[in-house]
Amino acid sequence: MTINPKTKKKKNSLNIDAPLHVTGRTQYLDDLPELAGTLYAKVYYSKVAHGIIKEIDLSKAMAMPGVHRIISYKDIPGENQIGGIIPDEPLLAETEVHFIGMPILLIIAESEKIAHHTCEAITIQIAEKEIITDPIVAHQQQQYLSDPKTFQLGDTTTAFTNCSYIFEGTAETGGQEHVYLEPQGAYAIPNGDKSIKIYSSTQGPTAVQRTVARVLGVTMNQIEVDVNRIGGGFGGKEDQASPWATMVALGTYLTNRPVKYILERGEDLQMTGKRNPYKSRYKIGLDNNYKILAFEGQYFQNGGAAADLSPAILGRTLFHSTNSYYVPNVKTNAYSCKTNLPPNTAFRGFGGPQGMFVIEAAIHHAARAIGVDAQIIQERNLLEEGSEFSYGQKTENCEAQNCWVQAKKNYGFGERKEQVRQFNATNKYIKKGLALMPVCFGISFTNTMMNNARALVHVYSDGSVGVSTGAIEMGQGVSSKMIQVAAGSFGIDYGRIKLETTNTTRVANTSPSAASATADLNGKALQDACSQILHRLKKMIAAEWKCQDLDTIIFEENKIFALDHSQEIQWEALIQLAFQKRINLSAKGHYATPKIHFDNTTSKGHPFAYHVYGTAIFQSTVDCIRGNYEFDSVQIVHDFGSSMNRSVDLGQIEGGLVQGMGWMTMEELIYDEKGVLKSGNLANYKIPDIYSVPKEIAVQYLETAGSDLAILKSKAVGEPPLMYGIGAYFSLCNAILAFNPKATLTYVAPMTAERVLMSLYS
Ligand code: MTE
Ligand code: HPA
Ligand code: MOS
């Protein structure tokens, strides 16, 4: 890529959506103009967490004026099956229901209001069966969604015999609601003969296409899925956008009319899965230099009623069970437990955060018992160059120590520790807590097969450029990054590039926009497409100007020149010439991440293209009378490689951090023993607002060599910062211990004000 020094700064802050967002012009699914004749869908879902459907009474509902159809599983022309990894999830319940919120019937009506009233007129008798909501109970009853997984390195049994200290305990993390601003939804329209076009709020257009084709019993080429952008996904629309798209497509199939369904917030909260809660056990062994010699973990994942993505999420828990530490002997077992909750799903970090919390709890436990600061143990065990993970991959260009050392030095950690000590010594009822949180996160889909992408580029005869990729813009800024890649490749202004919607007829067989890898995969496919066109253009110029070496031809600032030649030509003129000479001005690019592999039978391999590193320092203040707390500061050193867009990347750090803090400190999903979601609205499910954001967030860009497998050496940034949030939990623990050194710490998250208060006086 040619970098223009004059526009470099501007390039680094491009956010093509920002002006639209701040002026309210951004188009989402519900902003699409509706076609005449559009019908509206609504789900009737189970109000019982487990039971057998005895009787369905539709007499009142069918008599409502304006009802077109009430669809049951019997009306499905293909397979009543939406399970992505394991075929264990019907679109509509047949004889049994497995969670509150499980779709049973689909109403198609003239208006949303009629659909709503029709829903209320339906009665269904369900004979209740035993309900399981706790993964440990499911484990005791051997109720699993998939096979357990084990990762092993070295020999923990022998290693424990050499340890000076051994500690065992339990840790627990709660679920998390995605709260994407735009709820789930889709709009299907008849598209000629048997074909259907679907506008979907999805991270995975191909997943939608595949699921719809399966349920309708048609081939994938009959189904076109189009996504402009989505109002947030956070993993919640990686797989769980598919049912709603399938429902509207089914409605269209059966009525031959456009059908739309956008879930109300309450429906979305009830029916969709969340981050998997986990209950875990750990055993950690250290030598007398506080080196961790052995770590064992057992993870009981609350998967909900169907597998969804939980088996893959379970894997990532094990990939990240030792976070940023080198542990020579590791044995971890994980179980995906089947419960009567909505199927839980991907959420930023994809099981990694749940794994990392456990080893951080184990280290905190050990430090407290030994009587040293947790930072001493953390620091002595950080990954080094060439350290082996339990899955066999070794670190390359490891920045774990660098981030840690720089964070401590640049943010004056030594002095701060002393200030906090003094503060705590002089304040009886207000205490401060410090914690450091290192993060190491692997970049690639852990399922090697998914690490590929394609892009389609057209240069039009007037020199303007149309770009299609498989990437979904969900607020993370990937559209801006794609424009940067295309503009950089051709040496032309951003304004000449139009990024098209993500559409399965233009870019097929896409992996979902997930695993933080969207810009890497689609950006590299886009570079491939651009370079094919560039190569043709260079060959043409070389022939015209009689240049020997194509590498001497430079595309920069909307002009083309050759280093050993005096002539130059404007981009538009060049394209005109190429068009006249009948040169192909379109290209399809493809990329598949090289070097990665993983053997699921041995749980060994090299699954990640690279790792992202960072360290965050947390300082919190706890009101020891009320249990309330606030965060004074979070100071981060983050390994961006060579950031291609600093403002977009900074937004990801800030957003990820606060979302992770919400998960760790305030967002509490409560289901009662009947499987009823007690925190089913945003008044009693508390997500971070501007008042809960730390008073200070500082981010230092650790500019490193990056990785050749990262787009323009700019490392993936979407998920890693969420895991900084774990530091919030432990800074609160440390403030509690400053008040009550004998406090009982349960390592149960979230650390709500209520839990803080209970711990302070325990
Ligand atoms: N940022 C915003 N604003 N909205 C989102 O939905 N999703 C996160 C992260 N950042 C998300 C986000 C998740 S879960 C992932 S995997 C990545 O973005 C996906 O995009 P990327 O691969 O381009 O980083
Ligand atoms: N991360 C995110 N999403 C995924 C993954 C992963 O590793 N594998 C399958 N879907
Ligand atoms: Mo992100 S959880 O990989 O969509």
Side-chain angles (χ1 to χ4, degrees), residues 28 182 200-203 227 229-233 237 472-475:
Y28 295 99
E182 179 191 32
S200 165
S201 180
T202 181
Q203 290 173 245
V227 186
R229 67 165 65 69
I230 69 176
K237 295 172 184 169
I472 301 290
E473 174 62 49
M474 59 188 107

Side-chain angles (χ1 to χ4, degrees), residues 413-447:
F413 183 70
E415 289 156 43
R416 184 92 62 73
K417 231 172 116 173
E418 183 49 29
Q419 285 162 8
V420 166
R421 198 194 59 75
Q422 279 180 18
F423 181 94
N424 287 342
T426 48
N427 288 275
K428 191 161 175 218
Y429 288 110
I430 301 175
K431 298 289 182 187
K432 288 191 186 288
L434 285 171
L436 270 82
M437 180 65 196
V439 167
C440 167
F441 195 76
I443 302 302
S444 286
F445 287 96
T446 56
N447 179 354

Side-chain angles (χ1 to χ4, degrees), residues 232-235 348 474-476 478 514-519 652 718-719:
F234 304 110
R348 208 170 194 171
M474 59 188 107
Q476 89 281 38
V478 74
S516 306
T518 315
Q652 286 295 293
E719 292 166 287

